[in-house]
Amino acid sequence: MRLHHLTLQAFGPFAGTHTVDFDALSADGLFLLHGDTGAGKSTLFTAICVALYGEPPVDRDLMLRSHHAPADLLTQVTLDVTIADQRLRIERIPQQTRLKKSGTGETLQKAETRLSRWTTDSLGQGHWEPSSKSHQETGKEIKDLLGMSRTQFCQVVLLPQNEFTKFLYAAAPQRRELLGKLFHTDRYAFIERWLNDHSRTTQKNRDAARDEVLHLAARIHQAAGPDLKSEHDAPTPDVPHALTGPALAWAQDLIQVSQAGALTAQAAAETARKNQIEQRNLEDAVRELHQQQTTHAGAREELDRLDEQTPHQQALNRRRDQARRAQQLAPLLHAATTARADHSHAQETETAARTRLLPEHATLQAPELARAGQRMRDDIAVLNTLLPEEHNLRQLIADLKRTDAERQDFADQQRAARDWLDQETTQRTALETRREAARQAEEESRRHQTQLETLTTRVKAAERRDAHFAQITTTEQRLATARQTTEQAAQGHIDIRRQRTEGMAAELAAGLIDGTPCPVCGSCSHPAPATAADGQPSREDEQAAEDAHQRAQQQRDAIAGELQQLRENAAAATGEAGDTPLADLKIEHEALTAQLDDALQRAADRGTADEELLAMDREHAAMTQQYSVATAGLSARNATYETQSQRQAELTKKLDDARGTAPTLAARIDDLTRTADHLEQAADATRTAATAAQTLDTCTRQATDATTAQGFDTLTAAEQALLSEQELSDIEEEINQWREARATHQGVLNNPVLQQAAAQPPADVDAATARRSAADDQHVQAVGAASTAQARTAELADLAATLAGAVERLTALEQAHSTARHLADLATGNASGTRVRMQLEAYVLAARLEQVVTAANTRLRLMSEGRYTLRHSDHQAAHGARSGLGLEITDAWTGRPRKTDTLSGGESFFASLSLALGLADVVTHEAGGNPLDTLFIDEGFGTLDDDTLHHVLDVLDSLRAHDRTVGVISHVPELRRRITHRLHVRKGPTGSTLAHLTEGAE
């Protein structure tokens, strides 16, 4: 940064408008600002800071407006400055109150900022071009060009009174605060906080992943149950390293044990199924035998009971015969007629009853009809016991349909997964080929990008090179004109001085007064004073000619400097661009840009290919899982379907045999019930018809042979034997029933099947039922155990797969947390094995302080004639505390280090000045290396003796030798004798003023 002009208006103690020409003031590289205390020497630096940053150097409200200024003159600062090779003009009007333009009273004048940039047009003419009117834009651009904040600028450009003596004596915390502001090390504190926060976040994520693994391990342990044992220990929170690989080994071991148990349970279920079928068949055979034995035993018992009634039946027969004979003797004709009517009615009833019989029963007699009806009743009883089996068959059919649908679904899933896996290799190869091509395109684009950046730099340099060469021609013409003008002004100045010298006597005579001594001869009388010739130049004319000559010289020197700068810039641009024409470079730039665009387009496919490969990996895992689950499910459903099919076939055959031609068992039972009813009705009708026929025969014989057939000896016996019709009918019915029952039971006893069954040992139905029930229970338990084992194996496999994913995430999070914790410990100085426990910010500041001390010692050795050397002290505090920022000074005369507060006043000044200059160098380098060509040193020289002052000024001269302009603010008279160019600040009742003095002028 190089200052050119500073214009103050109504600013601080300066009431009017004042301009400081820093170009003239810094012609020798060193100038002095001096004046009375309070005149406003430091105000000049305040104005520079306000112009650059819009704020004064200190963080407090500072009254910028001058109390001496007229009310209609606005407070304003204008700075002409070169920053980073850019000539800028900054105009700032701070917020203030001013008179209203119309009317009376005051109004608020808002702050204004105007930024202009010096540019040269195509004709080589320079002019100021407006750039911005925004406070924010101007502030940002100035800060970016300078590369430092306001605090840094004020610290390294103005070395203020006593500030660095305080820094020299300060304790470590105060140094840390100042250095932190200058070097913006708060970002390292932010890094420390961020690393700690990141460490806590990764720890939280790691702990959550551990909890997830432990939760999955608990679920696996619960799913495995107490009967599954593993050779490996289950993961626990007390052993974190067992939550990764050992946990997976433990889970896989449980799965293998569960799979072996599932196979054993499946074999046991198959054995139980076979035993169940065998016991059901045995139960059916025992039940049938029991029924036959029961039927035969019942018939035997009933026949024995009927045989016991034989004497009674014989008596009934005798009484019946006597009653019939007696009855025929009374109303013989009436009895015969009645008998014929009854016989006819009985035949009609029998005919009607037999029409409802099946063809195979139509010719059977009453006993045979009765036995057929009883058999029907027995069949109905058997069928009623089979009614629940019909419901079981319907449920079994529904289960078969559902199982078959599940088999089909599993088969479809298995086939889809197998088809996808078969095609995966081809698709993966194609995607990996695409990704590799995109990766090569990325490498190609990076090469093109590097080449393009280099070529872009050359193109810009070539543009600057051509522009500089064009400006050089114009500037050379201007320089020739300026040199001619300077020679003319010099000759005019010489002529005027010669004429004035020749007429000096007349000039002195013009000031003579009678009675006043002559300044030349001392006489008080002036008899013949010389007279001035026509056109005699005055002292003012000579001064004006001298000023014109100086202005011409300055203009010539400025143009010469501008030309030299243009030539240097052209040489630098040529060094960057080479001699290649600009058009050729642009053509090459366009071709390389096209190649880069093509490579970027091809490289853009890498992200898509990576995403598709990741999607394929996820799909592969899903399809592999789907194939495994579908295969296991299909195998289980096939076994279930086979068992259900066998059971359906058995029930279907059993029920088909029982139903016959009827659609259902209920319909079959209804048909058999109607047939049994018809058989019983026909048997009754047949018996009634037979009885009526016998009655008719008796009545007819009695009517024909009344006497011979009576069988009575006397009339009294016939009367005694006479019975009513009802009584005779009852006796007849009882006799017939006894005969029919006996015939029926005898027929049952004569059945060879029942006889064979009766010959066998008694059938134990309860034992067969118990064995069949036990077989059913055993089968249900075995099937349940097999299903449970298979479900447990599947659940363990799913949980193990989920556990594998959780373990993979935990492994990555463990590594991430370990790295984050290590970095956080390094940043905070808590890492194990560290020599000193120093925080990152303190470490950076210590490094910066070392750099400052190194830079300061180069000047301190000169100022102290090699006696003193600053040294950065970083001793570790007690109990391993973090180290601080200490300063010591080594005295070469004693060879021992000293505390900085043992220095004398003068020693403290040049030590502080060295430290300030070193800090300025380091901050400038830290800010980006932009050169700061102007430096202000405020006071402190009065504490130095003559020799030390001489050495300090030598150091300042060395700064000037490096193209740095140094402004010294001081009251020391010796400095006014040593420094040629001075800016004198005078104070007065109407405000301060400025005067640029040179040694000759003073």
Side-chain angles (χ1 to χ4, degrees):
M1 180 193 75
R2 178 173 293 277
L3 304 176
H4 299 293
H5 297 89
L6 172 66
T7 300
L8 307 176
Q9 179 175 290
F11 191 91
F14 301 98
T17 301
H18 303 273
T19 298
V20 179
D21 186 355
F22 283 103
D23 287 335
L25 194 62
S26 59
D28 293 337
L30 183 66
F31 62 93
L32 174 68
L33 276 73
H34 64 100
D36 298 334
T37 301
K41 298 186 295 297
S42 299
T43 302
L44 297 177
F45 185 79
T46 299
I48 294 172
C49 188
V50 169
L52 291 173
Y53 291 94
E55 297 178 356
V58 291
D59 293 321
R60 58 184 175 87
D61 293 332
L62 186 65
M63 180 61 68
L64 302 180
R65 179 161 180 80
S66 174
H67 295 293
H68 306 284
D72 59 346
L73 186 64
L74 288 178
T75 298
Q76 181 174 345
V77 177
T78 302
L79 178 64
D80 180 2
V81 60
T82 296
I83 306 175
D85 295 332
Q86 295 191 41
R87 183 79 174 265
L88 303 174
R89 185 174 65 191
I90 310 166
E91 299 174 69
R92 294 198 186 260
I93 299 176
Q95 181 173 296
Q96 55 194 289
T97 57
R98 61 169 176 81
L99 296 177
K100 292 183 178 180
K101 295 181 179 179
S102 60
T104 59
E106 295 181 339
T107 185
L108 180 65
Q109 167 68 44
K110 293 183 178 180
E112 294 181 5
T113 300
R114 289 186 290 272
L115 176 65
S116 302
R117 181 174 280 102
W118 181 262
T119 59
T120 305
D121 56 18
S122 58
L123 299 178
Q125 299 296 322
H127 63 279
W128 291 108
E129 181 178 343
S131 178
S132 176
K133 291 185 178 181
S134 170
H135 304 301
Q136 291 77 11
E137 289 180 2
T138 301
K140 183 178 184 304
E141 183 168 355
I142 297 300
K143 185 176 180 180
D144 291 343
L145 291 174
L146 285 173
M148 61 181 69
S149 65
R150 176 174 60 91
T151 302
Q152 291 174 314
F153 176 83
C154 295
Q155 198 71 44
V156 301
V157 175
L158 174 66
L159 307 184
Q161 306 178 62
N162 299 324
E163 283 295 321
F164 277 88
T165 303
K166 294 180 182 178
F167 181 81
L168 183 67
Y169 295 156
Q174 287 73 32
R175 284 200 192 95
R176 177 170 181 168
E177 180 179 359
L178 175 61
L179 292 175
K181 291 180 180 179
L182 288 176
F183 294 107
H184 295 297
T185 55
D186 54 342
R187 60 184 182 270
Y188 296 101
F190 171 79
I191 291 173
E192 294 177 23
R193 293 193 299 273
W194 185 91
L195 287 173
N196 278 316
D197 294 341
H198 180 61
S199 175
R200 286 191 290 270
T201 301
T202 56
Q203 181 179 7
K204 182 179 179 182
N205 294 337
R206 189 276 315 273
D207 292 342
R210 285 183 177 178
D211 292 341
E212 181 184 6
V213 171
L214 289 172
H215 176 68
L216 289 172
R219 290 182 59 190
I220 290 174
H221 193 276
Q222 182 180 7
D227 56 330
L228 285 187
K229 304 298 181 182
S230 172
E231 297 179 356
H232 304 276
D233 294 332
T236 61
D238 299 332
V239 187
H241 69 270
L243 298 179
T244 52
L248 293 178
W250 168 75
Q252 291 300 324
D253 194 24
L254 288 179
I255 291 175
Q256 293 176 0
V257 175
S258 179
Q259 288 174 344
L263 293 176
T264 303
Q266 186 65 31
E270 182 63 22
T271 302
R273 183 184 67 80
K274 294 178 180 179
N275 182 53
Q276 180 191 37
I277 295 173
E278 180 181 355
Q279 293 301 325
R280 284 185 177 179
N281 294 335
L282 290 175
E283 181 191 19
D284 293 339
V286 170
R287 285 187 180 279
E288 185 178 1
L289 177 61
H290 175 70
Q291 182 181 4
Q292 292 174 349
Q293 289 178 342
T294 301
T295 302
H296 186 275
R300 179 77 268 172
E301 182 179 348
E302 289 296 325
L303 187 59
D304 292 341
R305 186 180 61 80
L306 290 176
D307 288 342
E308 291 175 357
Q309 297 177 359
T310 301
H312 175 67
Q313 291 297 325
Q314 292 175 351
L316 284 179
N317 284 330
R318 289 193 297 272
R319 187 180 179 189
R320 181 197 63 187
D321 293 342
Q322 291 173 0
R324 285 179 177 173
R325 289 195 301 272
Q327 188 180 21
Q328 289 177 358
L329 289 174
L332 295 175
L333 294 175
H334 180 269
T337 303
T338 301
R340 282 194 296 273
D342 291 337
H343 181 262
S344 176
H345 181 267
Q347 285 183 331
E348 292 175 356
T349 301
E350 181 183 8
T351 301
R354 286 184 176 276
T355 57
R356 294 192 293 271
L357 295 177
L358 296 174
E360 61 267 22
H361 299 149
T363 60
L364 297 180
Q365 296 304 314
E368 297 172 344
L369 290 173
R371 287 193 296 271
Q374 184 59 41
R375 289 194 299 273
M376 291 288 182
R377 296 295 181 187
D378 294 339
D379 293 340
I380 290 171
V382 173
L383 292 176
N384 281 327
T385 63
L386 295 177
L387 282 174
E389 296 293 343
E390 266 196 337
H391 173 73
N392 293 340
L393 180 61
R394 290 193 295 272
Q395 184 63 39
L396 192 57
I397 292 173
D399 292 343
L400 271 172
K401 290 182 179 178
R402 183 173 62 255
T403 302
D404 188 62
E406 292 175 354
R407 288 171 60 202
Q408 184 62 38
D409 183 57
F410 279 124
D412 293 340
Q413 294 180 20
Q414 185 188 47
R415 183 169 52 257
R418 185 172 56 250
D419 293 342
W420 189 93
L421 291 173
D422 291 341
Q423 298 174 1
E424 179 192 8
T425 302
T426 303
Q427 296 177 357
R428 185 177 292 277
T429 301
L431 285 175
E432 290 176 348
T433 301
R434 281 176 52 196
R435 182 175 63 180
E436 179 60 23
R439 186 192 63 78
Q440 294 177 358
E442 284 182 353
E443 295 179 355
E444 182 180 348
S445 67
R446 285 193 289 269
R447 291 195 302 271
H448 290 334
Q449 183 68 43
T450 302
Q451 297 172 359
L452 187 61
E453 291 175 357
T454 302
L455 188 58
T456 301
T457 302
R458 291 185 63 195
V459 169
K460 292 181 179 179
E463 292 174 346
R464 294 196 306 273
R465 176 197 63 194
D466 295 350
H468 289 328
F469 281 132
Q471 293 174 0
I472 285 172
T473 301
T474 303
T475 307
E476 287 175 344
Q477 296 174 356
R478 291 171 53 212
L479 179 59
T481 302
R483 285 173 176 171
Q484 184 178 0
T485 302
T486 302
E487 292 176 358
Q488 293 175 355
Q491 186 62 42
H493 181 211
I494 292 172
D495 293 342
I496 291 176
R497 172 172 288 185
R498 180 181 53 77
Q499 293 176 10
R500 185 183 171 212
T501 301
E502 293 174 353
M504 184 60 69
E507 183 177 336
L508 292 174
L512 294 176
I513 301 174
D514 290 339
T516 302
C518 174
V520 176
C521 64
S523 175
C524 293
S525 64
H526 316 291
T531 58
D534 294 336
Q536 175 66 28
S538 64
R539 180 177 182 179
E540 288 76 10
D541 293 336
E542 183 182 357
Q543 184 64 41
E546 182 182 1
D547 292 343
H549 180 212
Q550 289 181 350
R551 285 195 298 272
Q553 284 180 328
Q554 291 174 356
Q555 182 68 19
R556 180 199 62 193
D557 293 343
I559 295 175
E562 182 180 349
L563 178 61
Q564 180 62 29
Q565 185 65 42
L566 285 174
R567 287 172 176 170
E568 292 176 358
N569 293 341
T574 303
E576 292 184 33
D579 297 329
T580 305
L582 177 61
D584 294 345
L585 290 176
K586 289 183 175 180
I587 293 173
E588 185 179 353
H589 187 276
E590 292 175 357
L592 192 56
T593 301
Q595 294 176 6
L596 175 60
D597 292 339
D598 177 65
L600 290 174
Q601 289 178 0
R602 288 184 283 112
D605 188 44
R606 180 170 184 177
T608 304
D610 286 339
E611 291 177 359
E612 292 180 7
L613 280 171
L614 289 176
M616 179 169 287
D617 290 339
R618 293 191 294 270
E619 187 71 10
H620 174 81
M623 285 301 175
T624 302
Q625 179 70 14
Q626 177 178 324
Y627 184 83
S628 176
V629 172
T631 301
L634 182 60
S635 176
R637 296 305 184 278
N638 285 336
T640 303
Y641 188 84
E642 181 181 356
T643 301
Q644 292 174 342
S645 297
Q646 293 178 355
R647 177 63 178 158
Q648 181 198 16
E650 294 169 1
L651 281 179
T652 301
K653 184 178 183 306
K654 183 177 181 180
L655 292 176
D656 287 343
D657 294 340
R659 284 193 296 263
T661 60
T664 63
L665 282 177
R668 177 63 174 164
I669 290 171
D670 291 340
D671 292 343
L672 291 178
T673 301
R674 285 192 299 272
T675 302
D677 292 340
H678 293 160
L679 286 171
E680 291 172 355
Q681 292 171 4
D684 292 341
T686 301
R687 287 192 295 269
T688 301
T691 303
Q694 292 177 0
T695 303
L696 177 59
D697 182 69
T698 301
C699 290
T700 301
R701 282 198 311 271
Q702 290 177 353
T704 306
D705 301 318
T707 303
T708 58
Q710 287 180 358
F712 293 101
D713 295 337
T714 62
L715 182 59
T716 301
E719 290 177 351
Q720 291 178 350
L722 184 64
L723 297 173
S724 65
E725 292 293 334
Q726 183 62 40
E727 293 174 341
L728 184 59
S729 177
D730 291 340
I731 292 173
E732 187 71 27
E733 179 66 23
E734 183 178 355
I735 293 171
N736 290 335
Q737 288 180 353
W738 179 80
R739 290 176 179 174
E740 292 174 357
R742 195 174 184 284
T744 299
H745 292 307
Q746 187 62 48
V748 171
L749 292 176
N750 293 335
N751 189 334
V753 175
L754 297 180
Q755 290 175 355
Q756 183 180 2
Q760 297 181 16
D764 192 348
V765 177
D766 293 337
T769 301
R771 287 192 297 272
R772 192 268 304 164
S773 179
D776 289 344
D777 294 340
Q778 183 183 4
H779 179 259
V780 170
Q781 292 175 0
V783 170
S787 177
T788 300
Q790 291 176 353
R792 179 173 64 185
T793 301
E795 183 179 3
L796 286 175
D798 293 341
L799 290 174
T802 306
L803 178 64
V807 166
E808 183 178 357
R809 291 191 294 274
L810 174 59
T811 302
L813 290 173
E814 289 280 9
Q815 181 63 33
H817 173 64
S818 176
T819 302
R821 183 66 268 162
H822 180 66
L823 290 176
D825 290 342
L826 284 177
T828 56
N830 292 323
S832 60
T834 54
R835 184 177 60 85
V836 289
R837 297 189 306 160
M838 184 180 292
Q839 290 179 313
L840 179 61
E841 183 180 12
Y843 180 83
V844 173
L845 289 176
R848 292 292 184 269
L849 184 57
E850 287 182 353
Q851 295 173 351
V852 170
V853 168
T854 301
N857 282 330
T858 59
R859 280 95 179 200
L860 181 58
R861 291 189 186 95
L862 295 176
M863 294 182 188
S864 65
E865 298 182 356
R867 178 180 179 183
Y868 293 118
T869 303
L870 286 168
R871 187 165 68 91
H872 166 242
S873 174
D874 189 27
H875 296 300
Q876 188 169 357
H879 306 295
R882 292 175 175 82
S883 301
L885 300 168
L887 277 179
E888 294 178 343
I889 191 159
T890 301
D891 190 343
W893 290 2
T894 64
R896 301 172 63 88
R898 296 167 52 185
K899 293 185 179 180
T900 55
D901 56 5
T902 62
L903 296 173
S904 65
E907 291 172 340
S908 298
F909 169 73
F910 64 67
S912 301
L913 179 60
S914 300
L915 197 61
L917 294 173
L919 184 62
D921 291 341
V922 175
V923 172
T924 301
H925 182 269
E926 177 74 10
N930 290 330
L932 296 175
D933 300 322
T934 304
L935 181 69
F936 293 87
I937 301 175
D938 190 0
E939 289 297 352
F941 293 86
T943 60
L944 305 178
D945 56 46
D946 292 339
D947 291 338
T948 304
L949 178 61
H950 175 73
H951 293 308
V952 170
L953 291 177
D954 288 343
V955 171
L956 297 182
D957 284 335
S958 69
L959 296 178
R960 179 174 58 180
H962 290 86
D963 293 330
R964 296 182 72 174
T965 299
V966 180
V968 176
I969 304 174
S970 179
H971 299 280
V972 177
E974 178 62 22
L975 294 178
R976 277 179 277 179
R977 291 190 293 271
R978 291 284 302 270
I979 300 176
T980 303
H981 290 275
R982 302 184 298 280
L983 185 65
H984 188 193
V985 184
R986 300 185 179 93
K987 66 179 180 180
T990 59
S992 297
T993 59
L994 296 172
H996 180 192
L997 304 177
T998 63
E999 184 178 10
E1002 189 175 29

